[in-house]
């Protein structure tokens, strides 16, 4: 039985064949076509549509949004963390600062090693100068001491995030790095 079909008809039929509702003739036609057409064969095997530039774009947009959310949460975290420096809640920073580091890593990847400490330092200097969190302003050495301690906790968070990514994200990291660089 010769029932050759073109790509368009084949692609219409593929979902039916996959769902098992196509007629025997349709299925035979699809199998015959896919044996000679690698593009349709790819579709039949469940690969993505070959001419689909949209998913990466959508992904990029989602990524950008996620990055914005990470950055906002990170800055909020740093703000809250700095606000408790002079209070009894100071020790929440053991948790807050590493989380801020993780968020920074999600947003900036390895550059977070530089970016998050700089943001923290700037925020610490500004909030201290304005006396936002405490009437008593920290002296320079005290300010630097807390900044360094917080940076250590942030660095711990970044390292943890990096380790997680390399341990569990190997599969996707290859694809991601292609898009990023
Ligand atoms: Zn085809």
């Amino acid at each position: 039985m010769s029932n050759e079909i073109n790509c368009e008809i084949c692609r219409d039929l593929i979902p039916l064949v996959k769902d098992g509702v196509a007629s025997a003739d349709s299925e035979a036609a699809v199998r015959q076509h896919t044996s000679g057409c690698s593009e349709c064969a790819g579709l039949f095997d469940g690969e993505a549509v070959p001419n689909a530039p949209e998913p990466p774009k959508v992904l990029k947009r989602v990524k950008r949004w996620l990055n914005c959310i990470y950055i906002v949460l990170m800055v909020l975290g740093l703000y809250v963390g700095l606000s408790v420096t002079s209070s009894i809640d100071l020790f929440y920073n053991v948790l807050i600062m590493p989380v801020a580091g993780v968020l920074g890593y999600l947003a900036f990847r390895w550059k977070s090693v530089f970016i998050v400490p700089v943001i923290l330092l700037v925020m610490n200097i500004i909030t201290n100068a304005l006396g936002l969190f405490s009437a008593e302003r920290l002296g320079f050495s005290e300010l630097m001491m807390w900044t360094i301690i917080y940076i250590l906790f942030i660095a711990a968070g970044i390292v943890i995030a990096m380790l997680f990514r390399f341990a569990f994200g190997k599969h996707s990291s290859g694809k991601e790095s292609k898009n990023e660089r």
Side-chain angles (χ1 to χ4, degrees):
M1 197 188 302
S2 166
N3 45 6
E4 279 186 35
I5 54 174
N6 61 29
C7 288
E8 207 179 327
I9 293 173
C10 179
R11 285 172 197 195
D12 284 343
L13 290 174
I14 282 172
L16 303 178
V17 174
K18 276 188 170 178
D19 291 342
V21 293
S23 68
D25 278 358
S26 297
E27 187 171 349
V30 166
R31 291 197 184 280
Q32 190 195 340
H33 180 89
T34 53
S35 68
C37 174
S38 60
E39 274 192 7
C40 290
L43 285 175
F44 191 54
D45 291 335
E47 282 174 30
V49 184
N51 52 351
E54 272 159 285
K57 261 189 199 167
V58 171
L59 266 181
K60 263 185 191 170
R61 207 173 300 163
V62 170
K63 246 185 184 176
R64 216 174 295 153
W65 266 107
L66 272 177
N67 277 359
C68 287
I69 292 168
Y70 293 146
I71 293 167
V72 168
L73 287 176
M74 182 194 77
V75 170
L76 277 176
L78 294 176
Y79 188 85
V80 170
L82 290 174
S83 75
V84 297
T85 297
S86 306
S87 80
I88 194 91
D89 296 325
L90 166 68
F91 294 99
Y92 283 118
N93 279 318
V94 173
L95 211 72
I96 292 173
M97 290 300 163
V99 169
V102 170
L103 290 166
Y105 179 74
L106 289 173
F108 302 113
R109 296 297 179 211
W110 64 269
K111 290 181 196 134
S112 58
V113 174
F114 306 105
I115 295 173
V116 186
V118 168
I119 292 174
L120 174 82
L121 176 65
V122 170
M123 285 176 72
N124 206 1
I125 290 172
I126 292 175
T127 55
N128 187 56
L130 295 175
L132 277 185
F133 305 132
S134 150
E136 269 180 57
R137 273 156 221 188
L138 301 172
F140 178 77
S141 56
E142 223 180 336
L143 186 80
M144 283 302 132
M145 182 191 77
W146 285 117
T147 300
I148 290 167
I149 290 172
Y150 290 158
I151 286 173
L152 290 177
F153 280 110
I154 287 169
I158 292 174
V159 168
I160 289 167
M162 278 179 174
L163 290 177
F164 259 83
R165 186 163 181 246
F166 285 114
F168 301 108
K170 260 184 187 165
H171 182 70
S172 62
S173 65
K175 281 182 199 164
E176 268 175 37
S177 57
K178 256 186 222 162
N179 291 338
E180 277 170 13
R181 278 151 215 172

